[in-house]
Amino acid sequence: MDKGIGQKIPRLVIAAPSSGSGKTTFSMGLMAAFCRRGLKVQPFKVGPDYIDPAFHTGITGRNSINLDGWMLEEPVLRQLFAKGSQGADLSIVEGVMGLYDGYGADPMEGSTAGMAKILQAPVILIMTIDAMAASAAAIAYGLKEFGPVNLKGIVINKPSSPHHYQIVKDAIEKYAGVQVLGFLPKTTDIELKSRHLGLVQSSETENLPEIVDVLADLIEENIDLDLLLKVAEDASPWEFEIPASPDIRKAEFKIAVARDQAFSFYYHENLSMLCRLGAELVFFSPIRDKALPRDSCGIYIGGGYPEVFAPEIAANTALMQDIKEKAEQGMPIYGECGGYMYLNKNFTNDAGEIFPFVGIFDGEAVMTNRLQNFGYLEVLGLTDTVLFEKGERIKAHEFHKSKILRTDDNFCMQGEKVKNGAKTEWHCGRKYKNVFGMYPHIYFPANEKFAINFVRHCREYAGLR
């Protein structure tokens, strides 16, 4: 790799004091407003998230890249950022949770602040100021002084009136020493709907283009975009490793990837890495398609909302039978979280309704009223699968309310988590022939061997060396 000495990458990190402060709404509007100006905007998202990057990608036309400071090592993060930013006029990084919230009590591990430090990027804070005035200055001052972040501007979210905005603006600039760049007014025209695991997906959001247009209008009218762009362009020159052009294999076999409203949780880099290793990705819908794409040599079924679309999924018996037959023939299949649920015998929703699923595994997926094993973990392979060999590890995350009821104890992986200084371990994962499923979501850049192993099994199924 070559060193980029003093390279200029105009960049901004969008942060907030806490979740629910308007980061996603502001980030979307900012991307749309700068795209209107003819800029090529490269989006990024801090942390383990699938829904926000889909909104980013739809707005900018460039694939949003996840930057996770806990799952990925710093050199990998820097390479992903440098690679993603190539050819862009401006890179916008949407943060996660509150500015200093990440893995445990460490304010810089896995947090937005930690990522801003790694990227040497200026931070723009969006603050919702309901029921406060000068206290907003104390919050801004505390966030500015607490850690090594370059807080360069603040945007006020939902002031109750122009007078309210002016009071808060004056207090922040006087006592926190941070410039206020404008505000987002209260309006119901830009609200994004939520469900049990977060925002409703971009593919399900009605009138999304209209919402984005309104957002861009509000930002152009009420926020100093010229000053924001100058902040981004004045970001310190960044010495970074320029990734060498990958040795991309010619597509030699096909991997079928489930993608529709029910299954859409994929990291862009996961799919990109499979392609770089020689796979051609062909997409199919477990809701609509009656058979797998022709000549498929492997199947990847990611997470999503199978619990929401269970009636439509269960009605497509032809596809489920095709998948089950391919499993018996030894085709490599990987089901992750929602995809793992789909590979089991059936699913029971909150109302007690039972829906038949693929049935490669004899377990039953059932909804619960709380998150299961929520958060970051490390996965340890207990036996060989299509993804890992015994003893191999990868950092991962879990975010689901369902669980699998099973009668066997033939587990093939171990989850490990350290919380409050105590280590917790549990067993998970299911294997049948060349089929493997588990709840944890993994990011291939955290351990490329997992992608290499899967591709190797698909190549072998295709009869290739």
Side-chain angles (χ1 to χ4, degrees), residues 37-84:
R37 292 188 166 196
L39 298 181
K40 295 177 182 177
V41 178
Q42 173 57 47
F44 296 89
K45 172 65 183 179
V46 179
D49 191 300
Y50 299 99
I51 295 176
D52 291 352
F55 283 108
H56 299 170
T57 298
I59 291 168
T60 66
R62 294 172 69 100
N63 290 305
S64 186
I65 307 298
N66 290 78
L67 302 172
D68 193 295
W70 186 81
M71 287 197 290
L72 304 181
E73 299 295 329
E74 182 172 332
V76 177
L77 290 167
R78 293 168 67 84
Q79 290 168 23
L80 284 175
F81 184 74
K83 181 178 72 172

Side-chain angles (χ1 to χ4, degrees), residues 274-338:
L274 294 177
C275 292
R276 291 197 298 269
L277 292 170
E280 175 188 350
L281 304 185
V282 285
F283 296 94
F284 70 98
S285 168
I287 293 176
R288 292 178 292 274
D289 292 327
K290 301 304 180 185
L292 291 165
R294 188 175 178 180
D295 299 327
S296 298
C297 297
I299 306 173
Y300 182 9
I301 310 172
Y305 289 111
E307 63 270 29
V308 175
F309 298 94
E312 295 89 339
I313 292 169
N316 192 356
T317 56
L319 178 67
M320 292 192 293
Q321 182 60 34
D322 191 17
I323 293 173
K324 195 170 184 179
E325 289 174 0
K326 295 299 190 296
E328 292 296 336
Q329 295 167 14
M331 180 180 287
I333 302 174
Y334 171 41
E336 181 177 82
C337 199

Side-chain angles (χ1 to χ4, degrees), residues 21-327:
S21 298
K23 286 191 307 294
T24 299
T25 302
F26 177 54
S27 297
M28 288 170 57
L30 204 58
M31 292 172 190
F34 280 123
C35 284
R36 274 186 181 178
R37 292 188 166 196
L39 298 181
K40 295 177 182 177
V41 178
Q42 173 57 47
F44 296 89
K45 172 65 183 179
V46 179
D49 191 300
Y50 299 99
I51 295 176
D52 291 352
F55 283 108
H56 299 170
T57 298
I59 291 168
T60 66
R62 294 172 69 100
N63 290 305
S64 186
I65 307 298
N66 290 78
L67 302 172
D68 193 295
W70 186 81
M71 287 197 290
L72 304 181
E73 299 295 329
E74 182 172 332
V76 177
L77 290 167
R78 293 168 67 84
Q79 290 168 23
L80 284 175
F81 184 74
K83 181 178 72 172
S85 296
Q86 289 179 0
D89 300 310
L90 171 65
S91 292
I92 296 178
V93 183
E94 181 188 341
V96 62
M97 300 186 290
L99 177 58
Y100 294 100
D101 300 325
Y103 183 71
D106 188 333
M108 302 303 288
E109 185 177 6
S111 68
T112 302
M115 189 58 59
K117 181 181 178 183
I118 290 171
L119 302 180
Q120 302 166 38
V123 174
I124 303 298
L125 193 76
I126 177 142
M127 292 184 65
T128 298
I129 57 168
D130 291 342
M132 75 171 78
S135 294
I139 294 171
Y141 179 85
L143 292 171
K144 174 188 173 187
E145 298 298 326
F146 182 76
V149 297
N150 183 17
L151 183 55
K152 295 294 290 184
I154 293 177
V155 171
I156 302 302
N157 194 26
K158 301 179 181 178
S160 60
S161 67
H163 179 62
H164 184 206
Y165 167 69
Q166 194 62 48
I167 289 174
V168 173
K169 179 179 186 295
D170 291 346
I172 289 175
E173 292 183 342
K174 180 176 181 179
Y175 297 108
V178 183
Q179 188 167 8
V180 175
L181 305 174
F183 66 94
L184 269 177
K186 286 184 177 181
T187 174
T188 58
D189 295 335
I190 58 174
E191 292 180 357
L192 299 173
K193 296 180 180 179
S194 298
R195 58 162 59 110
H196 61 286
L197 293 182
L199 291 176
V200 171
Q201 302 170 97
S202 61
S203 61
E204 300 177 69
T205 301
E206 297 178 2
N207 304 320
L208 182 58
E210 290 85 351
I211 291 174
V212 172
D213 278 342
V214 171
L215 261 175
D217 288 341
L218 291 173
I219 284 179
E220 288 179 339
E221 293 166 5
N222 299 296
I223 294 173
D224 192 335
L225 287 177
D226 291 330
L227 187 52
L228 265 175
L229 186 58
K230 186 176 187 307
V231 169
E233 291 174 339
D234 287 346
S236 61
W238 191 38
E239 182 178 316
F240 60 91
E241 292 183 329
I242 303 173
S245 298
D247 183 14
I248 301 175
R249 287 176 175 267
K250 181 180 179 182
E252 299 169 303
F253 56 91
K254 296 178 180 179
I255 294 178
V257 179
R259 188 168 69 180
D260 57 15
Q261 298 98 313
F263 302 97
S264 64
F265 292 178
Y266 299 95
Y267 289 123
H268 169 70
E269 279 301 303
N270 279 13
L271 301 180
S272 180
M273 190 174 293
L274 294 177
C275 292
R276 291 197 298 269
L277 292 170
E280 175 188 350
L281 304 185
V282 285
F283 296 94
F284 70 98
S285 168
I287 293 176
R288 292 178 292 274
D289 292 327
K290 301 304 180 185
L292 291 165
R294 188 175 178 180
D295 299 327
S296 298
C297 297
I299 306 173
Y300 182 9
I301 310 172
Y305 289 111
E307 63 270 29
V308 175
F309 298 94
E312 295 89 339
I313 292 169
N316 192 356
T317 56
L319 178 67
M320 292 192 293
Q321 182 60 34
D322 191 17
I323 293 173
K324 195 170 184 179
E325 289 174 0
K326 295 299 190 296

Side-chain angles (χ1 to χ4, degrees), residues 306-307 309-315 320 344-350 352-358 365:
E307 63 270 29
F309 298 94
E312 295 89 339
I313 292 169
M320 292 192 293
N344 279 272
K345 181 174 63 176
N346 56 44
F347 166 72
T348 303
N349 67 13
D350 292 328
E353 298 173 293
I354 300 175
F355 300 92
F357 277 4
V358 177

